[in-house]
Amino acid sequence: MEHHAVPTTVLWDIDGTLVLNASSPGNLYHLALERAVGRDLTLRVGHQHGRTDAGLIAEHVRAHDLGDDLIPVVSGHLRDLTTERYHAGDRRRPAPGAMDLVARFAELGWRNGLLTGNSAYRARVKLLGAGFAVDAFDWEHSYFGDEEVDRTGVTGRAAEALAGTRAVIVGDTPRDGEAADAVGIPFVAVATGVYDVDSLRATAAVTIARDCVQDGQLIEEAIAALPPLRPVG
């Protein structure tokens, strides 16, 4: 297949896409808030897949009628809890075929970047824990959600930086797709998170893969056929 003669950046989501979801997703945000206030709190916010760290922290803080000045404090505790769990042996598993597809894209000369709701630090810890080589990813062409309440803030930065080149977001939730659509970046959906193939059909994904093993070739062909991004504005 003929590839466009422009740089290609594959922006991978992490949770549910590169690594399988945790058994109790979202509990660290609540624990970080409890540390910040120094007491036990009632859990008032359920985990919402596809949200950013900043958005989830803000929702937890506001659900308890606490001031937004607490948000950076909670963020610091979230980082600490991530480190503690990693050193305690809490590890995630790679999604089926994800490592091999990252390697395949590198062979094609494509950049493997990240677009995640996590901070760069939490992204590194999760990838290391799942056995990925962190230098397999282009961190200069990666975009993080620790300071963006809305995921479109993350995709907007990516669209601006990558305008005129070919780029695609690979993710596992409708929110990933909505944030991609909002800024004109194509979306490839993988059903390795909490949403199955049928659920992901409601997105505007250019293709929907069962996983990166069964449908790795499908993902590659869909990306290779994409035109460059239009300039922002």
Side-chain angles (χ1 to χ4, degrees):
M1 178 176 292
E2 182 180 354
H3 292 186
H4 292 280
V6 296
T8 298
T9 305
V10 182
L11 297 171
W12 293 90
D13 174 54
I14 294 181
D15 296 302
T17 302
L18 285 174
V19 305
L20 297 179
N21 285 314
S23 57
S24 55
N27 67 336
L28 282 192
Y29 301 96
H30 179 70
L31 293 174
L33 178 60
E34 288 185 328
R35 282 197 178 183
V37 299
R39 65 180 188 279
D40 292 341
L41 295 169
T42 302
L43 179 61
R44 293 181 178 171
V45 178
H47 187 61
Q48 300 173 45
H49 296 273
R51 295 285 303 280
T52 66
D53 281 358
L56 283 166
I57 290 170
E59 190 165 352
H60 276 270
V61 167
R62 293 165 187 170
H64 290 275
D65 297 318
L66 300 168
D68 283 2
D69 57 334
L70 196 62
I71 291 174
V73 180
V74 178
S75 181
H77 286 299
L78 180 64
R79 178 186 173 109
D80 292 344
L81 284 163
T82 299
T83 303
E84 289 169 21
R85 290 207 170 183
Y86 175 78
H87 288 303
D90 187 0
R91 299 288 191 272
R92 306 281 280 278
R93 291 186 294 127
M99 283 187 184
D100 289 340
L101 202 54
V102 167
R104 168 60 181 164
F105 291 168
E107 289 174 1
L108 292 173
W110 297 353
R111 293 188 295 226
N112 287 290
L114 301 167
L115 194 147
T116 171
N118 297 151
S119 66
Y121 177 79
R122 296 191 72 220
R124 286 181 183 275
V125 170
K126 288 181 180 182
L127 292 171
L128 281 170
F132 284 88
V134 294
D135 59 2
F137 298 93
D138 186 331
W139 293 83
E140 291 186 4
H141 294 90
S142 294
Y143 307 90
F144 305 98
D146 52 321
E147 296 183 355
E148 300 284 355
V149 171
D150 192 321
R151 198 176 185 95
T152 57
V154 188
T155 56
R157 285 191 279 111
E160 183 175 358
L162 299 173
T165 70
R166 183 170 54 187
V168 62
I169 290 171
V170 182
D172 67 296
T173 77
R175 276 197 175 95
D176 297 331
E178 291 164 3
D181 295 344
V183 298
I185 300 179
F187 174 57
V188 167
V190 290
T192 45
V194 298
Y195 294 93
D196 60 17
V197 168
D198 287 339
S199 299
L200 292 167
R201 292 191 199 283
T203 70
V206 295
T207 196
I208 302 169
R210 292 164 291 180
D211 58 42
C212 293
V213 176
Q214 300 177 84
D215 294 322
Q217 186 64 34
L218 180 71
I219 296 171
E220 179 182 329
E221 290 176 356
I223 296 172
L226 294 172
L229 298 181
R230 294 180 180 178
V232 176

